[in-house]
Amino acid sequence: MSRTIIVSNRLPTKVQRAADGLHFQPSEGGLATGLGSIYRADGNVWVGWPGLPVDDPAEQAQVTERLQADSMAPVFLSEAEIHAFYEGFSNGTLWPTFHYFSELATHEPSHWQAYQAVNEKFCQAVLALAGPEDTIWVHDYQLLLLPEMLRRERPEATIGFFLHIPFPSYELLRVLPWAAELLRGMLGADLIGFHTFGYMRHFLSAVGHLLGLPTQSGQIETPTRTVLVDAFPMGIDYARYAEAAVSAAAQGYERTYREVLRDTQVILSIDRLDYTKGIALRLRAFEGLLLAHPEWIGKVSLLMIVVPSRDQVAEYAALKEEIDELVGRINAQYRTISWNPINYFYRSFPFEELAAFYHMADVALVTPVRDGMNLVAKEFIAAKGDLPGVLILSDRAGAAQELAEALLINPTDTDQVVEALHQALTMPAEEQRQRLQHMQELVRQYDVFAWTKLFLDRLTYSKIKQHTLTTDVLDADAQAQLLGAYQTASHRLLLFDYDGTLVRFQANPQRAHPDAELLELLRTLADNPHNRVVVISGRDRASLTKWLGDLPLDFIAEHGVWLRRHGEDWQLFQELQATWKREFRPLLEQYVRRTAGSLIEEKDYSLVWHYRRADPGLAALRARELLSHLSFMTANTGLQVLEGNKVLEIKAAGLNKGTAAARWLGPEPPDFILALGDDRTDEDLFAALPPEAYTIKVGRAPRSLARYSVPGPADVRQLLRQLHHADLVARPVPVGA
Ligand code: GDG
């Protein structure tokens, strides 16, 4: 049975060393919760570092045994690896670069070497566990090279990758000497996920610029595979926070704190210590509030929790000092005997206590300068239940793309944050509740379980899509079968692309005229009363008429815009195609899930996203995002996006070879169809034909919807000769007999 193997730098269990030996504690991160139900089921397993150096083989065996019993497999890192791979390249190079703090990033070749070596170590650990049928889901910036390493060893594996932090613009990424290698590493996956469409767009643009690969419709064509790229905004375990906030334990904490704080309004701030989180900016804004609105002195407190993190690294130690100093100065200046402006904690709290903080806070102040998503914002929303409360949220957090009812601010604009604080503290309770309710609906619906399912379903889809694009070589057996079917059919349709199929490409397109042998072959095939031969090309009418117009052929010109049946005049074509809807529907469904009240309408030739019944603030934000997403996805696809009244509509802008060929399929459908083509536009033709048609892609190592492939025009010529020969040796039943 196929299993899911989750791989992340850290395991969902923390191993700690104490005087009496090793201790194992569950880690409470969102990822651990979201994937908890998966990795413990059906023999699945989570591979990762247990969080501390364990060099002694006996201890390693103890850790391995203990973790194995809970579906985990440890990867042990030495002190030197932790220094160079984790603190060095991951946190000293990638973290600052991806968060737009390039000036803090180190470019140390020995760290890069360690990063490669540790990714390789993870690769070996996964290979030791993974069977050929297993799904491997790799997480985050510490393991960017891993998908490609796995792919090298297991070309057929199903591999997903999700990045939890922002993906920076190409201009920032290119500063890294190893940017191209990192992108290639990620492209080993079949599906690459980001929190927002913005990150996804940056990634696609970097792949286009640095690797020169085509990146159309959120798909990347590598030499060997199609890689899907998409946005999957991560959710939280909503029920867990909602329930914990009203649990007996949390209520106990809340009562104790309320006794001390009395009727002071509470502004809550929770982060890991990090320069991306804007903690100092937040303190300055709080000070600004007391300055600009002194009426709040004595009436409002900032409850600030900073969870220790990476404090061995110089920048983090300096940041800690800056925060300590600011808190000291503000408290010294404003405090009274009975009131403390800032209650500052530099430690982490148990889960129930955290839930109590969320529940009792009047305002959550979340002001990162960059943040992949920010789960704290969502946890606050879940924990508030029916109580009023206001979320102030930085517009640079991924979560801002979803939480339109928050007070969205630019964290570096201190005056704006000060005014948002004042607005939050004076906002009528009813408005607070309404805004919260809208956001609660969204965060509840799109929780971490929905996120996990969506990602894994999409990964399965990416594999199915790849398989449908795998063609078989037209070998001797297949050729014999094709010729047999041809001989016994009496109503045959032969559809031939021209350039790259019937003739070789020429540097000057005007010189690609047919040679005498081709003209003769086409004539004999078309003279046969059982055959209908259609040349179906992107060429203009004039060239086709000039070169082939004297033959008894039918024509489709300009990719389906014009058609001419033998003996008739050229005419314009009018009919549309709808197969693209399969591709776009899942994207619209995502927006429906994330925008309560919106819906999809499916018409014959279009898909419509209606948002009239959705909350106007959220809908406006989403419509902008979806429009941009769709414009990007539809570029060069022949589709267009129309903005209507509270609707976005995607429809076919034009015609293609598939819609054109459909004219020859009815009302008397042929009993043998052969279609030959070499490029992207011929894929529309292959898609439009029934599955029993002999569809043949012309090209080496092709990815195509066609059933078979042949290497080049010379092989096509050979096939046409064989058809001709088959006609000579065995005539089918005469027409009308
Ligand atoms: C990365 C990305 C992205 C905090 N203090 C305590 C505590 N926490 C928990 C929170 C929350 C988590 O830590 C922090 O999550 P964030 O999302 O805010 O930030 P990062 O750690 O930087 O995470 C981020 C995330 O990955 C997921 O993709 O959102 O953008 O940087 O869950 O509740 N938990 C407990 N005590 C504390 O004192 N128990």
Side-chain angles (χ1 to χ4, degrees):
M1 199 178 88
S2 75
R3 304 178 305 163
T4 302
I5 296 176
I6 295 158
V7 197
S8 65
N9 177 49
R10 294 290 286 266
L11 283 171
T13 288
K14 286 183 277 193
V15 183
Q16 283 162 335
R17 196 184 297 281
D20 59 344
L22 297 174
H23 288 244
F24 296 79
Q25 256 195 354
S27 106
E28 305 214 301
L31 193 62
T33 322
L35 300 176
S37 57
I38 290 189
Y39 83 89
R40 290 200 172 94
D42 305 330
N44 296 344
V45 57
W46 193 319
V47 179
W49 176 48
L52 85 173
V54 184
D55 296 329
D56 172 33
E59 265 191 351
Q60 286 193 354
Q62 183 202 345
V63 171
T64 305
E65 190 184 335
R66 173 68 192 266
L67 293 175
Q68 237 167 25
D70 197 14
S71 309
M72 283 176 270
V75 176
F76 295 106
L77 301 183
S78 67
E79 291 269 15
E81 285 169 334
I82 294 167
H83 170 72
F85 151 77
Y86 181 60
E87 287 155 9
F89 200 77
S90 300
N91 292 338
T93 307
L94 293 177
W95 177 271
T97 305
F98 280 40
H99 285 89
Y100 294 74
F101 281 86
S102 285
E103 73 280 10
L104 299 183
T106 54
H107 293 177
E108 174 57 55
S110 65
H111 291 175
W112 165 242
Q113 279 154 18
Y115 187 80
Q116 291 169 296
V118 172
N119 270 254
E120 191 59 54
K121 203 170 190 176
F122 271 82
C123 178
Q124 295 311 320
V126 175
L127 291 174
L129 288 164
E133 297 296 310
D134 293 343
T135 294
I136 304 169
W137 188 2
V138 181
H139 290 264
D140 228 359
Y141 64 102
Q142 301 91 347
L143 300 174
L144 296 176
L145 301 177
L146 181 55
E148 176 58 19
M149 290 175 171
L150 290 166
R151 179 70 57 201
R152 248 189 355 239
E153 302 294 325
R154 298 272 168 88
E156 298 304 320
T158 303
I159 305 173
F161 179 84
F162 188 83
L163 186 72
H164 289 262
I165 65 175
F167 196 89
S169 102
Y170 157 68
E171 290 298 341
L172 261 118
L173 186 79
R174 69 195 299 204
V175 173
L176 282 182
W178 309 283
E181 280 101 319
L182 293 168
L183 293 175
R184 273 194 282 271
M186 295 169 79
L187 287 179
D190 300 299
L191 172 66
I192 302 176
F194 299 92
H195 281 304
T196 71
F197 165 63
Y199 307 154
M200 160 187 163
R201 195 165 49 83
H202 285 319
F203 175 73
L204 289 172
S205 134
V207 167
H209 278 101
L210 283 168
L211 304 184
L213 294 174
T215 61
Q216 209 180 52
S217 314
Q219 294 176 22
I220 299 171
E221 298 297 333
T222 76
T224 51
R225 278 164 314 114
T226 301
V227 178
L228 289 191
V229 181
D230 219 330
F232 302 89
M234 188 176 166
I236 58 163
D237 184 352
Y238 187 93
R240 183 160 178 259
Y241 282 90
E243 284 158 21
V246 292
S247 66
Q251 283 178 341
Y253 286 122
E254 192 171 341
R255 266 195 305 277
T256 314
Y257 290 131
R258 262 294 155 216
E259 269 168 33
V260 184
L261 292 167
R262 293 188 304 277
D263 53 359
T264 319
Q265 293 213 53
V266 173
I267 301 169
L268 180 65
S269 141
I270 301 182
D271 310 273
R272 242 175 355 85
L273 177 71
D274 204 287
Y275 47 81
T276 61
K277 300 285 183 182
I279 304 175
L281 287 171
R282 199 171 313 171
L283 286 165
R284 295 209 173 85
F286 181 68
E287 184 182 25
L289 175 77
L290 300 180
L291 255 173
H293 298 279
E295 66 272 26
W296 291 113
I297 292 177
K299 300 212 173 70
V300 61
S301 284
L302 177 65
L303 173 56
M304 190 167 88
I305 296 162
V306 178
V307 179
S309 164
R310 307 176 194 173
D311 42 15
Q312 304 304 310
V313 182
E315 283 83 26
Y316 288 74
L319 176 67
K320 164 81 170 46
E321 233 169 78
E322 186 188 2
I323 295 169
D324 288 354
E325 241 177 69
L326 269 170
V327 172
R329 183 166 62 69
I330 299 169
N331 270 349
Q333 185 161 348
Y334 288 96
R335 71 175 299 161
T336 64
I337 292 293
S338 57
W339 171 71
N340 218 4
I342 305 169
N343 290 302
Y344 166 44
F345 303 88
Y346 184 64
R347 59 187 155 93
S348 73
F349 287 83
F351 178 66
E352 279 74 18
E353 205 165 351
L354 191 76
F357 287 142
Y358 282 137
H359 192 250
M360 70 187 280
D362 300 281
V363 178
L365 184 57
V366 183
T367 59
V369 266
R370 291 281 167 185
D371 211 339
M373 171 50 68
N374 195 292
L375 300 177
V376 166
K378 294 187 172 180
E379 291 165 6
F380 169 73
I381 287 168
K384 285 309 289 183
D386 296 334
L387 292 179
V390 182
L391 172 64
I392 299 179
L393 179 61
S394 162
D395 58 11
R396 284 104 184 266
Q401 298 303 310
E402 298 175 84
L403 305 175
E405 296 291 314
L407 298 183
L408 295 177
I409 48 93
N410 169 356
T412 55
D413 183 346
T414 305
D415 292 342
Q416 195 195 14
V417 184
V418 167
E419 283 323 302
L421 276 170
H422 183 66
Q423 186 190 348
L425 292 165
T426 52
M427 188 183 285
E430 206 31 49
E431 182 182 345
Q432 297 188 25
R433 278 205 189 86
Q434 264 177 17
R435 284 173 180 258
L436 266 182
Q437 270 165 14
H438 281 130
M439 295 192 283
Q440 282 170 340
E441 213 166 300
L442 185 104
V443 180
R444 186 190 297 119
Q445 245 188 43
Y446 200 75
D447 66 3
V448 71
F449 304 105
W451 174 79
T452 305
K453 181 169 183 320
L454 195 69
F455 186 91
L456 290 174
D457 285 353
R458 196 75 182 146
L459 181 55
T460 309
Y461 167 79
S462 79
K463 233 36 208 178
I464 294 170
K465 194 171 158 79
Q466 278 176 16
H467 286 140
T468 56
L469 292 177
T470 310
T471 57
D472 291 333
V473 172
L474 188 75
D475 58 13
D477 283 350
Q479 214 171 87
Q481 203 195 21
L482 183 153
L483 291 170
Y486 176 81
Q487 279 180 323
T488 52
S490 58
H491 181 26
R492 308 159 178 153
L493 177 62
L494 310 179
L495 301 155
F496 302 149
D497 168 50
Y498 185 73
D499 295 87
T501 300
L502 292 180
V503 296
R504 243 181 259 288
F505 279 109
Q506 299 287 336
N508 176 354
Q510 291 316 317
R511 303 190 56 184
H513 52 75
D515 53 274
E517 190 207 16
L518 177 63
L519 290 173
E520 190 47 35
L521 273 171
L522 289 174
R523 180 183 295 284
T524 41
L525 286 173
D527 273 343
N528 185 331
H530 299 282
N531 292 348
R532 185 118 214 178
V533 182
V534 188
V535 171
I536 180 161
S537 167
R539 289 240 176 211
D540 58 287
R541 288 179 292 161
S543 306
L544 294 177
T545 312
K546 186 169 94 193
W547 289 338
L548 304 167
D550 293 339
L551 302 178
L553 303 170
D554 292 351
F555 293 100
I556 293 172
E558 294 180 28
H559 296 125
V561 174
W562 294 97
L563 63 91
R564 192 183 100 170
R565 288 180 193 274
H566 177 52
E568 295 177 11
D569 282 338
W570 285 102
Q571 51 177 290
L572 265 178
F573 191 92
Q574 264 314 332
E575 213 180 288
L576 293 166
Q577 173 79 317
T579 43
W580 57 268
K581 288 195 290 189
R582 268 204 312 269
E583 281 293 317
F584 282 79
R585 210 181 153 103
L587 175 67
L588 294 194
E589 280 166 358
Q590 252 192 65
Y591 277 81
V592 166
R593 266 192 294 271
R594 293 168 56 207
T595 319
S598 71
L599 56 93
I600 299 170
E601 179 194 0
E602 182 160 350
K603 301 187 197 168
D604 285 348
Y605 297 108
S606 69
L607 278 177
V608 192
W609 184 65
H610 290 261
Y611 56 93
R612 182 175 307 282
R613 287 177 39 226
D615 167 69
L618 179 66
L621 187 85
R622 279 282 185 288
R624 263 203 315 279
E625 187 190 334
L626 179 58
L627 182 64
S628 160
H629 206 143
L630 285 173
S631 316
F632 193 74
M633 300 279 286
T634 52
N636 307 321
T637 58
L639 293 172
Q640 58 178 334
V641 187
L642 302 178
E643 252 186 299
N645 190 340
K646 305 279 187 218
V647 296
L648 288 179
E649 178 158 0
I650 317 164
K651 55 196 307 179
L655 302 157
N656 62 46
K657 289 183 175 180
T659 49
R663 281 273 175 109
W664 275 262
L665 297 177
E668 284 173 58
D671 52 4
F672 174 88
I673 303 174
L674 172 65
L676 295 163
D678 72 300
D679 76 9
R680 167 71 197 83
T681 62
D682 299 306
E683 294 299 310
D684 298 320
L685 172 62
F686 300 146
L689 296 176
E692 62 278 9
Y694 285 87
T695 47
I696 301 180
K697 168 91 172 179
V698 182
R700 289 183 191 278
R703 236 167 298 149
S704 168
L705 293 170
R707 285 168 68 192
Y708 300 104
S709 69
V710 295
D715 308 271
V716 170
R717 193 66 67 92
Q718 180 62 18
L719 182 64
L720 298 190
R721 281 187 211 115
Q722 281 173 335
L723 293 179
H724 176 50
H725 183 70
D727 277 336
L728 294 177
V729 296
R731 288 243 167 238
V733 187
V735 182

